[in-house]
Amino acid sequence: MLEALERFAPLPLQESWDNAGLQIGLTEAEVSGVLLCLDVTEAIVDEAVAKGCNLVVSHHPLLFRGLKQVSDATDVQRTVRKAILNNVAVVSMHTNLDNARDGVNFKIAERLGLQRVHFGLEPWPVSAEEPLSQLPSGQWVMGELREPMDASAFIAYMKDRMEAKCAMCNELLRRPISKIAICGGAGDFLLDEVIANGADAFITGEMHYHQYFGHEQQLQICVIGHYESEHFTAELLRDVISKDCPDVRCEIAETNTNPIHYY
């Protein structure tokens, strides 16, 4: 099963600072069930145990920075201990899944019903049926709405499709929105590149305050929250596993791991 995930999103596609792949456990262990999630927390391990799953597959790595001890001093240490004590293995598919063709950003585009979706640095396909070029990976994608929308309608549509409670945007664009750039998670570092490639709107999960300045009527910035931009990744992981390992039971986690609350 791990081989199926790594065929879809090879580990070499991850960024140099990342730590994707096997986090806890033994690769030869027989899988009783897989719990799919965005983040690995103590509550996620509890849910895995309750559902008889001995493998958790997440998007965000549990072990991102090195641990110098495994006790109960931090939430990460407690989660590691709980997983080991309950024989729950943990695998994370992070920026390799972000950067893979048909990965996280393509999943967001699918949720939005975009057409002609391609990596941002690829040329525009002439039609929805045209095969994509062979660019193997990319940090963001571009797609096109089926019909152009005005800015307020597009933001409402995007929030509904992404199940986002709110969106942080710059001033409303006063031209129709058609070309949409997407980077799940923290994609603000791509802002200039997205603008240079002719996007009408940019959807991402996080952006620094000062980056909203200076782009009035140039681009519609739509920041919906890190969790909100990536919580459908569990569906993507389920589809990848089910295709190659149809006999493996997959459960999408019911635990909401978003640490941000809206009041």
Side-chain angles (χ1 to χ4, degrees), residues 10 14 23 38 62 73 81 96 128 135 138 141 144 147 158 166 205 213 217:
Q14 70 179 308
Q23 308 272 293
L38 183 61
L62 171 62
R81 289 185 72 246
N96 54 319
L135 188 66
V141 302
E144 191 171 52
E147 298 289 341
M158 174 199 65
C166 62
F213 287 101
Q217 301 311 309

Side-chain angles (χ1 to χ4, degrees), residues 185-200:
D188 56 358
F189 68 99
L190 292 165
L191 182 59
D192 291 340
E193 187 173 308
V194 162
I195 291 170
N197 280 270
D200 298 315

